[in-house]
């Protein structure tokens, strides 16, 4: 175990697990849940939770980049989130605008490149503009990739990929027998992430233990860590704890351990 030593409240020396910097998961994906409950607990409107959640996105982006993560995927708006009250949807659509307006210089300073997966054509024009601006402005950065899932759904992603592959077959550019996992993966929205398309670690906050239509293909061999804290309370230490938990797991990919 990698450990640092700390005194506990009784003054005794205790070993504390720390992140092994050589085995940090290359791709971490986060289902950021609990903004609404965080706000409810404080008798605040739900949007106050999303606002605070945006601040957490900033902190965790920097923390992940400093830990050596290659891709951080964040589930910001699902294809199902349109069912929420209009005011909340409008607020959630404004968040990327506010986020990128204030945060792009920091992203560039930390060499973070922005990518997006999801059907962005359905987003309001101002949101599309902000997203495109952030992608363009950070396109030269070659450090961590911050991959936002916006109007993203795992099933929708698979349907779109199947339609594209079917079209290739129809146009005689591909034979049915040539369809394999790599052909499907090439048509998924994570294809732009290259070798890091599949997350090694998926974190969900606020104690819920569900996948909620997130990265359904890519999670085949992901490790899941469910954290009790609501997203606005998630800290760099929470992220490190999730990574430490991941590093204690034995990944066998269906085989046997050596
Ligand atoms: C889930 O909490 C959270 C969301 C649906 C929105 C996530 C958005 C953010 C964290 C801010 C995104 C920031 C940017 C920059 C795009 P919930 O509302 O479902 O919480 P609840 O389950 O407690 O109601």
């Amino acid at each position: 175990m990698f450990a640092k030593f700390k005194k506990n409240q009784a003054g005794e020396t205790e070993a504390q697990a720390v992140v092994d910097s050589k085995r940090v998961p290359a791709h971490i994906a986060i289902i950021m849940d609990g903004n609404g409950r965080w706000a409810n607990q404080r008798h605040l409107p739900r949007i106050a939770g999303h606002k605070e959640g945006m601040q957490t996105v900033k902190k965790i982006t920097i923390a992940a980049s400093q830990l050596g993560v290659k891709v951080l995927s964040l589930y910001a708006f699902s294809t199902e989130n349109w069912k929420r009250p209009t005011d909340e949807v409008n607020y959630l659509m404004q968040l990327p605008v506010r986020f990128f307006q204030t945060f792009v210089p920091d992203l560039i300073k930390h060499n973070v490149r922005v990518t997006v997966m999801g059907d962005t054509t359905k987003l309001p024009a101002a949101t599309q503009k902000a997203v495109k601006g952030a992608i363009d402005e950070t396109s030269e950065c070659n450090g961590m990739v911050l991959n936002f899932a916006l109007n993203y759904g795992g099933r929708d992603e698979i349907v779109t990929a199947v339609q594209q592959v079917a079209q290739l077959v129809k146009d005689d550019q591909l034979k049915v027998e040539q369809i394999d996992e790599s052909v499907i993966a090439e048509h998924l929205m994570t294809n732009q992430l290259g070798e890091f398309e599949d997350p090694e670690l998926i974190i969900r906050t606020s104690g819920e233990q569900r996948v909620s239509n997130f990265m359904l293909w890519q999670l085949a061999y992901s490790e899941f860590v469910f954290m009790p804290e609501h997203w606005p309370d998630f800290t760099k230490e929470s992220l490190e704890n999730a990574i430490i938990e991941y590093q204690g797991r034995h990944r066998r990919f269906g085989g046997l351990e050596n």
Side-chain angles (χ1 to χ4, degrees):
M1 182 181 72
F2 287 72
K4 66 181 175 196
F5 294 91
K6 256 195 160 181
K7 291 241 188 280
N8 65 17
Q9 281 178 337
E12 298 149 348
T13 303
E14 258 185 4
Q16 275 197 332
V18 294
V19 170
D20 172 359
S21 60
K22 294 198 186 68
R23 293 192 304 124
V24 170
H27 183 172
I28 298 180
I30 308 184
I31 303 174
M32 308 180 288
D33 195 10
N35 291 349
R37 277 164 283 168
W38 182 91
N40 279 345
Q41 284 169 355
R42 287 160 181 77
H43 309 288
L44 295 169
R46 292 178 54 81
I47 59 169
H50 297 315
K51 187 175 176 203
E52 195 59 28
M54 181 180 78
Q55 299 307 331
T56 305
V57 170
K58 293 181 180 179
K59 286 182 238 165
I60 296 305
T61 298
I62 304 303
S65 142
Q66 287 171 340
L67 282 163
V69 173
K70 306 284 185 209
V71 176
L72 179 68
S73 290
L74 298 178
Y75 204 7
F77 193 88
S78 77
T79 45
E80 288 71 41
N81 285 152
W82 297 106
K83 294 180 205 152
R84 295 189 175 207
T86 312
D87 284 356
E88 185 171 345
V89 169
N90 289 344
Y91 191 82
L92 285 169
M93 286 298 134
Q94 272 174 34
L95 273 184
V97 181
R98 288 186 187 204
F99 177 81
F100 291 127
Q101 263 171 3
T102 53
F103 201 51
V104 165
D106 287 292
L107 291 173
I108 294 170
K109 192 170 111 198
H110 288 90
N111 200 19
V112 173
R113 181 163 67 87
V114 174
T115 59
V116 171
M117 59 180 187
D119 182 1
T120 52
T121 64
K122 304 277 180 344
L123 305 178
T127 313
Q128 288 190 43
K129 188 164 172 246
V131 165
K132 187 177 178 312
I135 293 171
D136 290 348
E137 285 173 61
T138 61
S139 63
E140 303 285 305
C141 298
N142 59 6
M144 189 182 82
V145 171
L146 176 60
N147 179 41
F148 275 107
L150 274 175
N151 193 23
Y152 171 86
R155 288 186 172 182
D156 178 61
E157 179 187 35
I158 293 171
V159 167
T160 306
V162 169
Q163 286 173 345
Q164 289 171 2
V165 173
Q167 189 66 49
L168 290 176
V169 173
K170 192 177 166 203
D171 296 344
D172 283 332
Q173 290 177 39
L174 188 73
K175 290 190 171 54
V176 169
E177 313 79 73
Q178 289 175 313
I179 301 172
D180 59 9
E181 290 190 11
S182 70
V183 170
I184 304 283
E186 263 170 46
H187 290 86
L188 295 174
M189 293 161 182
T190 41
N191 188 42
Q192 59 183 331
L193 303 173
E195 62 177 312
F196 303 122
E197 59 197 349
D198 297 336
E200 285 86 5
L201 169 63
I202 298 187
I203 300 169
R204 182 168 187 148
T205 59
S206 92
E208 305 292 349
Q209 303 195 356
R210 284 190 292 278
V211 172
S212 299
N213 204 11
F214 191 46
M215 302 188 92
L216 296 181
W217 172 278
Q218 298 87 344
L219 59 67
Y221 288 102
S222 304
E223 293 293 328
F224 280 80
V225 174
F226 298 104
M227 308 289 286
E229 52 269 61
H230 297 317
W231 176 249
D233 289 330
F234 194 83
T235 60
K236 181 178 184 185
E237 201 185 13
S238 314
L239 178 66
E240 288 174 348
N241 286 336
I243 296 173
I244 290 165
E245 164 87 31
Y246 163 86
Q247 291 180 338
R249 304 265 177 96
H250 299 281
R251 304 185 76 209
R252 294 188 289 276
F253 304 95
L256 298 176
E257 237 166 317
N258 291 334

